[in-house]
Amino acid sequence: MAALYEGYTLCGLVPDQNVSSSGIQGIEEERDTDHVVVTDSTRSVTLYKVSDQKPLGSWTVKQGQKLTCAAVFNSQTNEYVAVTDNKVIRVWKEEDILLDKAFKATVSSDVWKVHCTHGGEPVVLFQRGAVRLLDSLLAAPQQTIEEVLVQEEAIRWSTIILAETQQFVIFTTEQKGDHFLYLQRLNPNSLQRYRLEREEPGLSPLSFSATYTDKHICLLYLYPNGHVYKSVLSVRGLGTEEGAQPIPLPRTLLLSLPVVDGLLEAASAMALDEAHVAVVGVPHPSAGAGKDFLCIWNTNFQTVQAGKEMAGKLYGQLWSYSNKVFIPHGKTLSVIPFECTKSSLAAAVGKLRHAKTEELKAPASVPSWNNILHGEKAQPSKSVETRRTRTRKTQSTPNLTIDQVLELIKTAPVEEIQKEVEGFLTRADLQDLQPSVGQLASTLVSRSLADPAFYSSSTLTQLVHTQCLCHSVCPDLVLLALEKKDYFLCQLCLQFFPDIPEAVTCACLKTFISMPDVDAEKVSLEPDSVSFMETLISREHAEAGLQNGFSPIFLEEDCPDAVRGRQTKAEDKEKASAPSKLICPVGLHKAALLNEVLQTAYSEAFLLPHLKDLSSQHVVLFLQYLQFLYLKYSQDALPQMDGVRSPSLAQIMDWVCLLLDAHFTVLVMTPEAKGLLLNLHSFVKSQVRLVSELGKIEGSLQELNKLKVKESVGQYSIEIIELF
C-alpha cells in the first residue's frame, strides 16, 4: 500500500516561459535527510532546511556567468561543488559568502554533470563521456580528457549508484534516433555499453531512474506513449574492448499508463521501492481531462494506490529523498511526504484477517515532522497500547461496520455514539484504523457544526488519542474545540497533529492568552503539562548569581546611559528585586496551554501575518511569560523533565523574535512595554558579553583538547598547565 501525505511549499519558482522550464536545474540531498541543495537554471545555489522551509544559505555567481550543472555536497570535506560556464569547477564551504572568492579551476573539456553519493568522492562526467574523480581532476585541471562517445552522440541523462562500496556512473545517450546506456565502474575502471530497444514509432524516453536492489541495478524509463519499461543490469563481469558492438539491453513492460489526447510531453516516472513507482505528468485514470496529478502506482497490481492533484503547470521533473517527493509545479517547489508498505492482494481488497488478537498490528499513526523528516518512530500513547490488547469476545451484540457506525453518528444520542465508537475502536479484526478514524471524526464534527446542541467531547478525545488523525483529515476539529471551549481537546490536537496551519495556531494562541486565569484554572488539562509548570514555578531562585556563565539580573551596567538616567527609583527597586522572586504572569493552566503553542510546528513566513492580529495588551502579556520562561531556563539545571513535553529554550527565543518582528513598532509606542523591551535588550547584551568572553578563551580550550592524558597519575597528583 502507499500514501501521499499533506505537502508543503519549500520555495517559490521563477519559471522560464521561453523554454517551458521550471527554473530548477537540480535538487541534491545534503548532510542529512532534513537539508537539500537547490540549484536554479541560471545563477543561484540555495541550501534549505526542509522541515522549516527556510533557506540557510545562498550563493550566486556573477552577472554574465551561468551555472551549467547542479551543485552537490561532498560529505567527506563538507564542501559544495558546482560547474559554471561548462568548464569552471567551483568548490566552496557553507561559511563562504562570495563564490567568486572561493576555489575554482578551469578544465580542458566541457563538463556534463558532477555526481556524488553520501560518503563518496565527487565524480565528474564530461560531455563526451569521460569520467574523473574530482580530486584527481583538480590535481591537474588541464589534463587531456578522452572522448568516449562517437560522433553525433550526446548525453541525455545521468546518475550515480552506490552498490555496496562500489560507485557506478550511469548515463544514457542518443545518436540519430538510437539510444544507448553506459555503465561506468570506478576503481577499478571498466565500461559497458548497451543498446536500448527502439520504441515505435521512433519515440525517445522522457525520463529515467535507477536503483540498486539485490546486487543488480534496476533501470526504469518512461516513453511518451505511457509505457514504463524495466531493465536489470548486473554489476559483475563489466568491461568491453574498445570498438566492440553495444550489447542489446533486455527490457520488460512494467506499466502501461493511461494517455489522453496524443502523447505525453512533460512526464516523469521514478521507482520508490520494488513495487511502487511515482509518476507525474500522466493523467489519473479516475480523473477528468485537464487535471495534473502526482500518483503512486503499484506495479504488482497495476493500480494507483495514492494520488494528489497538483495546481499549476507540471514540468516533468521529480526528485525523491528520504520518503519525500520534491516536485515543481506552477510557481512552487513542493515537498510531499509519502509512505510505501508491502502490499498483498488480500490487503488491497480489505479481506486480510488476523488469526490471533495478539498479532494485531498497532494502528497506523499520522506521521509527525520528526518521523517524516528524520525517520524517527513515534511512541504510541498508553491509551493506544492498552486498547491494542482488548478484545470484544464477551460482547453478545454483533459488531457494527464502519458504514453502520457512521449512520449511527448522524442521528443517535451522545451516549450511544460513545459506546459504539469505543467498541468499534477496540475490535480486534480492524485492518487499518487510520481511514476509519478520519471518517468518524469528520462525521462527528459535521453533525456538531450543523446541530449546536450536539457535541461529544469524550468521543472526539478518544479518536485524537489514537494518533491516527491529523488536521488535513479533519480540518474543522480544532476550531470546533475552540468554539466549544474544549481546551483539553485543543491541547491534544496541538500535541498530536503535525500539520496544524499557522492561522489555526494563532487562533489557539489568541484564545488562550485572552482567557481569564480564573476560567483557565477550571479547565481539565493533561496532568503532566500542569505538573511541569508547578515544578517550574516552585523552583527555588535563591541562587541568582552567575547562571550559565552570565547573570540574568539586569545590572545597571547593562542599560544604556540615556536609559539609566530616565529610570525612576521605583523602577530601580523593582528591577533589583525581580531576580529574587520570579512571578509567572499567567496561571498554571493558561501557561500549560501556551506551552503547547510554543511547541507547534510553523513556518515563519506564514505565521507572521497572523501574529499581527494580536492586540498590544496580549503581545505584552505573552512576552512577559516568555521572559519568565527564559529566566527560569537560564538556571544551571534546565527545568525540562524526562518524558514530559516542554518547550525548549530555542523555541522560547524563536517566539520572542517572532513577536518582536510582528509588533516592534507598536511595542515601542506602548508605555507598558518600555520595561519589558529594556529587559529584552539586557538579555541580548548579556548573551553577547558571554559569547565575547568565551571567544577570548577559545584558543586555550582548544589547546586543552590536544594535551595527552597521562595513563597513570596515581591516587593523587598536581599538574600545572600553562595557557598562553
Side-chain angles (χ1 to χ4, degrees):
M1 302 298 288
L4 289 168
Y5 296 107
E6 191 69 21
Y8 46 94
T9 299
L10 183 64
C11 63
L13 301 179
V14 184
D16 189 341
Q17 302 297 334
N18 296 328
V19 293
S20 298
S21 168
S22 67
I24 296 292
Q25 188 170 175
I27 299 174
E28 297 286 339
E29 195 170 45
E30 209 232 23
R31 70 200 78 173
D32 54 36
T33 59
D34 197 25
H35 294 81
V36 293
V37 181
V38 179
T39 307
D40 67 23
S41 57
T42 53
R43 300 171 53 214
S44 297
V45 177
T46 307
L47 170 64
Y48 286 96
K49 185 176 182 182
V50 179
S51 58
D52 292 341
Q53 302 102 61
K54 289 183 179 179
L56 302 182
S58 183
W59 303 270
T60 305
V61 297
K62 283 185 175 182
Q63 188 75 30
Q65 298 173 342
K66 184 178 181 180
L67 290 164
T68 50
C69 88
V72 298
F73 180 73
N74 182 358
S75 58
Q76 291 183 343
T77 60
N78 289 331
E79 293 175 327
Y80 301 91
V81 184
V83 178
T84 58
D85 302 325
N86 296 314
K87 289 186 177 181
V88 182
I89 298 178
R90 297 178 182 266
V91 181
W92 73 96
K93 291 183 176 290
E94 185 173 345
E95 57 266 24
D96 293 332
I97 300 176
L98 299 176
L99 277 185
D100 197 53
K101 294 184 178 181
F103 174 84
K104 58 184 175 182
T106 303
V107 295
S108 60
S109 183
D110 288 349
V111 175
W112 166 257
K113 273 188 180 179
V114 179
H115 292 288
C116 189
T117 60
H118 184 71
E121 182 181 345
V123 178
V124 180
L125 173 62
F126 289 88
Q127 290 187 8
R128 301 307 302 160
V131 174
R132 293 285 190 277
L133 291 172
L134 180 64
D135 285 350
S136 64
L137 178 62
L138 295 182
Q142 289 299 310
Q143 62 184 270
T144 303
I145 306 298
E146 72 276 10
E147 291 197 8
V148 176
L149 307 185
V150 300
Q151 201 171 18
E152 298 183 5
E153 188 177 9
I155 299 178
R156 299 302 183 205
W157 169 85
S158 65
T159 190
I160 189 169
I161 292 289
L162 182 63
E164 298 175 357
T165 59
Q166 186 74 57
Q167 291 190 101
F168 292 87
V169 176
I170 308 170
F171 59 96
T172 62
T173 64
E174 182 179 2
Q175 180 195 21
K176 297 180 180 179
D178 290 325
H179 295 270
F180 303 91
L181 181 135
Y182 290 78
L183 189 58
Q184 171 78 60
R185 179 167 58 186
L186 303 172
N187 292 333
N189 293 332
S190 60
L191 179 65
Q192 185 69 61
R193 188 182 187 218
Y194 297 89
R195 179 192 294 272
L196 275 65
E197 293 185 30
R198 278 181 172 265
E199 183 74 5
E200 300 300 334
L203 299 176
S204 298
L206 290 175
S207 72
F208 291 89
S209 74
T211 56
Y212 178 71
T213 308
D214 296 332
K215 297 184 179 180
H216 288 84
I217 294 175
C218 298
L219 186 71
L220 203 73
Y221 41 110
L222 167 67
Y223 281 92
N225 57 7
H227 290 177
V228 179
Y229 291 98
K230 177 182 178 181
S231 296
V232 179
L233 306 172
S234 174
V235 298
R236 300 182 182 275
L238 289 173
T240 56
E241 297 180 1
E242 186 176 350
Q245 291 297 317
I247 302 172
L249 183 63
R251 69 182 187 182
T252 56
L253 182 62
L254 196 64
L255 286 172
S256 185
L257 302 174
V259 178
V260 181
D261 299 332
L263 300 174
L264 301 175
E265 295 181 358
S268 183
M270 174 174 288
L272 302 178
D273 61 15
E274 296 179 6
H276 296 92
V277 175
V279 179
V280 67
V282 178
H284 192 292
S286 302
K291 295 183 178 180
D292 293 318
F293 278 82
L294 168 66
C295 297
I296 297 181
W297 285 75
N298 187 304
T299 57
N300 292 335
F301 305 127
Q302 303 285 300
T303 57
V304 175
Q305 291 194 330
K308 182 178 288 290
E309 185 176 358
M310 308 304 297
K313 180 180 180 180
L314 294 179
Y315 304 96
Q317 291 178 299
L318 196 62
W319 292 269
S320 176
Y321 298 108
S322 306
N323 283 4
K324 298 184 291 290
V325 169
F326 297 79
I327 174 172
H329 59 102
K331 296 184 178 181
T332 300
L333 175 60
S334 291
V335 182
I336 302 177
F338 68 88
E339 182 180 18
C340 295
T341 57
K342 289 186 177 181
S343 302
S344 66
L345 185 59
V349 299
K351 299 297 183 182
L352 188 62
R353 291 290 183 267
H354 295 270
K356 297 180 180 180
T357 302
E358 301 86 49
E359 296 175 356
L360 178 64
K361 292 183 178 180
S365 62
V366 175
S368 68
W369 287 121
N370 282 334
N371 60 46
I372 288 176
L373 299 171
H374 305 294
E376 298 174 3
K377 293 183 178 180
Q379 296 296 324
S381 63
K382 294 181 180 179
S383 61
V384 176
E385 293 175 352
T386 304
R387 182 172 56 256
R388 194 181 307 162
T389 60
R390 299 180 194 165
T391 62
R392 295 188 67 187
K393 294 180 180 179
T394 58
Q395 293 184 357
S396 58
T397 57
N399 293 330
L400 297 181
T401 65
I402 179 63
D403 292 333
Q404 290 172 326
V405 176
L406 292 175
E407 287 299 320
L408 185 72
I409 290 175
K410 295 177 181 179
T411 55
V414 171
E415 294 76 11
E416 185 177 354
I417 291 174
Q418 181 178 347
K419 177 182 177 182
E420 291 300 332
V421 170
E422 181 179 359
F424 181 82
L425 293 178
T426 57
R427 196 161 63 222
D429 61 351
L430 202 58
Q431 168 61 21
D432 190 359
L433 195 61
Q434 184 172 343
S436 302
V437 169
Q439 290 177 297
L440 293 171
S442 298
T443 306
L444 280 168
V445 170
S446 297
R447 181 177 174 185
S448 300
L449 293 174
D451 181 8
F454 174 84
Y455 183 67
S456 180
S457 175
S458 58
T459 305
L460 289 171
T461 300
Q462 189 176 18
L463 293 176
V464 173
H465 260 302
T466 65
Q467 300 188 36
C468 295
L469 273 179
C470 63
H471 182 271
S472 56
V473 172
C474 192
D476 296 323
L477 177 57
V478 180
L479 296 178
L480 174 66
L482 288 175
E483 179 184 340
K484 298 292 184 180
K485 297 183 179 180
D486 189 350
Y487 299 121
F488 178 58
L489 180 58
C490 288
Q491 184 183 30
L492 293 180
C493 291
L494 290 172
Q495 289 182 3
F496 295 142
F497 288 6
D499 58 344
I500 294 181
E502 287 75 2
V504 177
T505 300
C506 278
C508 293
L509 172 60
K510 191 172 183 179
T511 301
F512 298 160
I513 200 71
S514 60
M515 189 193 323
D517 286 335
V518 177
D519 295 341
E521 296 306 312
K522 299 176 183 178
V523 176
S524 297
L525 297 177
E526 201 215 359
D528 285 344
S529 64
V530 178
S531 63
F532 168 76
M533 286 307 304
E534 289 176 341
T535 303
L536 185 64
I537 293 176
S538 63
R539 289 178 69 90
E540 293 294 334
H541 201 77
E543 298 180 3
L546 289 178
Q547 299 166 354
N548 279 342
F550 75 101
S551 174
I553 305 175
F554 307 128
L555 302 176
E556 186 176 356
E557 64 182 29
D558 286 335
C559 296
D561 294 337
V563 174
R564 189 188 312 133
R566 290 194 299 266
Q567 290 176 337
T568 63
K569 293 182 179 181
E571 289 173 332
D572 291 337
K573 182 179 180 181
E574 179 183 355
K575 189 168 64 175
S577 62
S580 61
K581 185 179 181 181
L582 285 174
I583 300 176
C584 184
V586 298
L588 280 176
H589 287 218
K590 182 187 286 191
L593 291 173
L594 292 176
N595 288 347
E596 299 298 344
V597 174
L598 295 179
Q599 298 171 82
T600 304
Y602 64 86
S603 173
E604 183 177 335
F606 296 115
L607 184 63
L608 276 174
H610 298 289
L611 283 179
K612 294 179 180 179
D613 294 336
L614 293 175
S615 66
S616 59
Q617 178 185 358
H618 292 154
V619 171
V620 170
L621 179 59
F622 195 22
L623 280 173
Q624 288 172 343
Y625 175 65
L626 293 174
Q627 172 187 298
F628 166 80
L629 289 179
Y630 177 86
L631 292 174
K632 284 291 187 180
Y633 275 52
S634 296
Q635 296 177 4
D636 288 336
L638 287 177
Q640 292 164 297
M641 297 182 291
D642 293 336
V644 178
R645 276 175 54 89
S646 57
S648 66
L649 184 60
Q651 289 171 328
I652 294 169
M653 297 309 299
D654 285 344
W655 273 91
V656 170
C657 295
L658 283 168
L659 289 172
L660 290 177
D661 286 344
H663 291 274
F664 185 74
T665 304
V666 176
L667 290 172
V668 169
M669 303 298 292
T670 304
E672 295 81 3
K674 176 184 174 182
L676 181 62
L677 292 177
L678 290 175
N679 289 347
L680 294 176
H681 171 78
S682 298
F683 289 167
V684 176
K685 192 168 184 178
S686 298
Q687 292 285 23
V688 170
R689 189 171 57 213
L690 170 64
V691 173
S692 176
E693 294 298 324
L694 290 175
K696 294 177 182 178
I697 63 171
E698 180 181 6
S700 301
L701 295 176
Q702 290 176 349
E703 291 298 322
L704 289 177
N705 291 330
K706 299 178 182 179
L707 294 177
K708 294 183 179 179
V709 180
K710 295 181 180 180
E711 295 181 358
S712 178
V713 295
Q715 294 182 348
Y716 177 79
S717 67
I718 297 176
E719 185 175 357
I720 299 175
I721 300 174
E722 295 184 2
L723 300 177
F724 298 97

